Amino acid sequence: MAVGTDADAVLDHPAVDTEGRKLLTELVSIPSVSGDETEAAEALAAFFEAHDREVWLDDIGNVRAPGDDTVLLTSHIDTVPGDIPVEIKDGEEGPELWGRGSVDATGPLAAMAIAAVETGASFVGVVGEESTSRGAWHLIENREAPDAIINGEPSGWDGITLGYRGLLEGTYVATSESGHTSRPDPNAIQHAMSWWERVEDVFEPDEWIPVFEQVTTKPVEFEGGISVDGLSMESTMEFQLRVPPERTPEEVRELSDAELETGTVNWTEFIPAVMTSPRSEVARLFRVAIREQGGDPRLLRKTGTADMNIYAEEWGCPIVSYGPGDSNLDHTPHEHLPLSAFDHSVEVLIEVCEQLGVGENTTPTEQAQ
């Protein structure tokens, strides 16, 4: 059975029968593509206001609800583009909420908001994670480090993410004289293609090594053709290299630059990889809480990059990523979340926060900037 995409109709579905499920459904029903998160942020802030929590939208649009800084619960408000009708469907695990963001990462975001209200933990919903991580960077610059961070990303309610690869981004640019296409000399487009093929060869995938431990290459945008004045051929390529913890960014850049014969590369951004210990107290408490909910804990390493990388590098406090949802559904047309998994994740988060001591210190310590 499925209901239509009218938000009120979905909220009236009999499966949306708890405060947490209602908040989740409401937030998924509000489009929040990166760069256009204000309406969803205001709805999230209204939830905290309804529970008498101090809350505000900061200068960049993050939702800030300071509390006990023993734990900071944080996830991102924004999603990638994609119109998936918001509806409740029957699934193998019971009712499922379909819609963009239900997994990445409105599900984790809503679960953390509920846990923050229940325990008094500090909370921040950040903007821009799917683009430039501008919300996380702003937070780093305008807030003291908490004692520990639980970063909201889909790991499955019975899994915790301990590591993410880093990210190197760059732009390749080349020009060549214009001429008849019958000439054998390579033009700027061919120069770009040749360099990229050599870079791919340097980091050729090895089927015997886990992807997390390899450098992977991906062009993300390409423009090429005759210049406006008609006197030259131009090419521009945006690209990304994912970097495992075992490789340094300097090494990866040097290996890529060594293949450069024509054109230039402007390296624009590097986010370092992160790999935390499964023996940390935060990780241990998650395993205990997951078992109490009837789950078999899983420890994960993700091949992508998240705000967790930034927090780990800049703040250096204990951190894991956690949240309901199958990350294989991230950014796909099939994004959906079993509501039972959402419920389990809320209980796990509450238990971990309480075991870490949230509530014993109720004085907000966040800088109100």
Side-chain angles (χ1 to χ4, degrees):
M1 173 183 173
V3 292
T5 58
D6 179 79
D8 291 336
V10 182
L11 285 166
D12 288 339
H13 192 284
V16 185
D17 56 358
T18 67
E19 184 177 40
R21 291 183 176 190
K22 289 177 182 177
L23 177 64
L24 168 68
T25 304
E26 178 185 6
L27 292 177
V28 170
S29 299
I30 301 172
S32 55
V33 175
S34 195
D36 190 19
E37 303 101 329
T38 302
E39 184 179 355
E42 290 174 344
L44 183 59
F47 168 78
F48 281 94
E49 289 174 348
H51 287 274
D52 297 322
R53 281 285 296 266
E54 179 186 7
V55 64
W56 72 91
L57 270 62
D58 67 18
D59 293 342
I60 204 168
N62 294 331
V63 176
R64 308 272 283 270
D68 187 338
D69 244 16
T70 301
V71 176
L72 171 62
L73 299 173
T74 179
S75 185
H76 61 94
I77 303 169
D78 62 318
T79 71
V80 297
D83 185 13
I84 302 173
V86 180
E87 52 189 352
I88 303 290
K89 296 182 181 181
D90 291 332
E92 294 181 0
E93 302 175 47
E96 300 171 341
L97 175 65
W98 286 66
R100 177 59 82 214
S102 56
V103 173
D104 186 16
T106 309
L109 178 76
M112 289 187 166
I114 295 294
V117 163
E118 289 293 323
T119 65
S122 286
F123 173 91
V124 179
V126 297
V127 297
E129 191 272 348
E130 297 289 2
S131 52
T132 62
S133 288
R134 65 186 184 280
W137 285 114
H138 185 79
L139 201 62
I140 291 290
E141 295 167 358
N142 292 276
R143 187 193 197 284
E144 294 180 353
D147 295 340
I149 302 173
I150 303 173
N151 183 61
E153 289 287 351
S155 58
W157 78 265
D158 57 353
I160 57 173
T161 302
L162 301 176
Y164 285 91
R165 289 190 300 175
L167 173 66
L168 264 174
E169 291 185 328
T171 304
Y172 172 93
V173 178
T175 60
S176 61
E177 289 186 359
S178 60
H180 198 280
T181 55
S182 65
R183 291 173 53 184
D185 300 330
N187 62 25
I189 294 175
Q190 290 172 297
H191 288 313
M193 294 170 60
S194 296
W195 175 72
W196 189 247
E197 288 174 358
R198 292 192 296 272
V199 171
E200 289 182 321
D201 288 342
V202 170
F203 302 114
E204 183 177 6
D206 187 331
E207 62 179 319
W208 302 106
I209 298 176
V211 173
F212 183 84
E213 299 172 10
Q214 300 186 58
V215 176
T216 55
T217 61
K218 189 70 64 176
V220 294
E221 187 173 331
F222 186 90
E223 294 182 1
I226 299 294
S227 63
V228 175
D229 61 14
L231 300 179
S232 62
M233 178 76 73
E234 301 173 337
S235 65
T236 303
M237 177 173 58
E238 310 284 344
F239 62 89
Q240 296 179 346
L241 304 174
R242 302 285 175 167
V243 183
E246 295 79 9
R247 305 290 287 266
T248 68
E250 292 78 15
E251 175 190 7
V252 173
R253 283 197 296 255
E254 287 175 3
L255 289 170
S256 302
D257 286 339
E259 300 300 323
L260 196 62
E261 296 177 355
T262 303
T264 59
V265 173
N266 177 31
W267 296 96
T268 55
E269 183 174 14
F270 172 67
I271 298 174
V274 57
M275 188 67 214
T276 63
S277 172
R279 299 179 182 85
S280 72
E281 180 67 1
V282 177
R284 184 189 71 80
L285 290 175
F286 264 105
R287 293 197 296 273
V288 171
I290 289 168
R291 290 191 183 101
E292 288 179 353
Q293 287 292 309
D296 185 12
R298 298 174 297 113
L299 305 179
L300 308 175
R301 303 183 303 176
K302 294 282 191 75
T303 58
T305 309
D307 284 344
M308 175 176 169
N309 299 61
I310 297 170
Y311 300 138
E313 176 71 11
E314 298 294 325
W315 276 338
C317 55
I319 185 170
V320 300
S321 277
Y322 175 78
D326 180 356
S327 60
N328 291 318
L329 300 175
D330 291 3
H331 304 188
T332 73
H334 313 292
E335 194 171 358
H336 64 278
L337 176 65
L339 293 178
S340 61
F342 175 80
D343 296 340
H344 282 308
S345 72
V346 171
E347 294 303 319
V348 168
L349 285 166
I350 291 172
E351 178 66 17
V352 170
C353 287
E354 290 178 346
Q355 291 301 314
L356 284 170
V358 174
E360 298 173 8
N361 171 23
T362 58
T363 302
T365 57
E366 182 182 12
Q367 294 176 346
Q369 299 295 327

